Amino acid sequence: MSRPPFELQRIDHVVLRVRDAAAMQAFYCDVLGCREERRQDDIGLVQLRAGDSLIDLVDVAGKLGRMGGGAPGEEGRNMDHLCLRVGPFDRDAIVAHLHAHGARIGEFGSRYGAEGEGPSQYLFDPEGNLVELKGPPAPL
């Protein structure tokens, strides 16, 4: 089996189809610290900088969004979850920040990620997408 002529390096961007673009942008910017990098209102796209990556928000009522079919909801999600590597990982500070912003918090645990096993806090964005905040690998 031949190998591709390239090596995967990292996630470049994730695209979320959203019902309420303003609420989603506020969540990803105000709660998780993204910043708006680029927007194309004519097609319903806002691109948010998330560290070295982008999170694209596509309004389901916009030109791009309509091409993807019905909006995500309780019975059908866009994805299983989005994992964001964060640092430093101070769970108490993270949970206090999420509570202060009214975020719905999910389970905490040790989970395996790109750098190995380490702390992980689940939460939900305003449209019910599961987001994981992943800390560094636990020392051996």
Side-chain angles (χ1 to χ4, degrees), residues 31 91-105 121:
V31 178
R91 181 171 183 244
D92 292 336
I94 289 170
V95 169
H97 174 75
L98 296 175
H99 277 301
H101 286 276
R104 185 166 55 116
I105 298 172
Q121 178 65 58

Side-chain angles (χ1 to χ4, degrees), residues 10-14 25 27-30 32-39 46-57 82 84:
R10 62 180 166 77
I11 292 175
D12 184 85
H13 68 278
V14 174
Q25 182 171 354
F27 174 82
Y28 281 95
C29 291
D30 298 344
L32 297 183
C34 293
R35 64 176 169 74
E36 183 179 314
E37 178 156 315
R38 186 170 171 251
R39 73 183 309 123
V46 176
Q47 294 178 294
L48 307 176
R49 175 62 55 187
D52 291 334
S53 304
L54 293 174
I55 298 174
D56 295 355
L57 303 178
L82 162 67
L84 302 171

Side-chain angles (χ1 to χ4, degrees), residues 49-129:
R49 175 62 55 187
D52 291 334
S53 304
L54 293 174
I55 298 174
D56 295 355
L57 303 178
V58 173
D59 190 327
V60 294
K63 182 178 180 180
L64 284 180
R66 286 191 305 270
M67 294 177 359
E74 288 296 318
E75 299 299 317
R77 297 183 289 177
N78 279 339
M79 63 181 166
D80 183 71
H81 74 280
L82 162 67
C83 181
L84 302 171
R85 171 63 162 86
V86 300
F89 194 94
D90 176 340
R91 181 171 183 244
D92 292 336
I94 289 170
V95 169
H97 174 75
L98 296 175
H99 277 301
H101 286 276
R104 185 166 55 116
I105 298 172
E107 295 178 9
F108 172 79
S110 181
R111 297 179 180 89
Y112 192 81
E115 297 176 300
E117 188 79 21
S120 162
Q121 178 65 58
Y122 283 154
L123 65 140
F124 297 88
D125 72 18
E127 295 194 3
N129 293 302

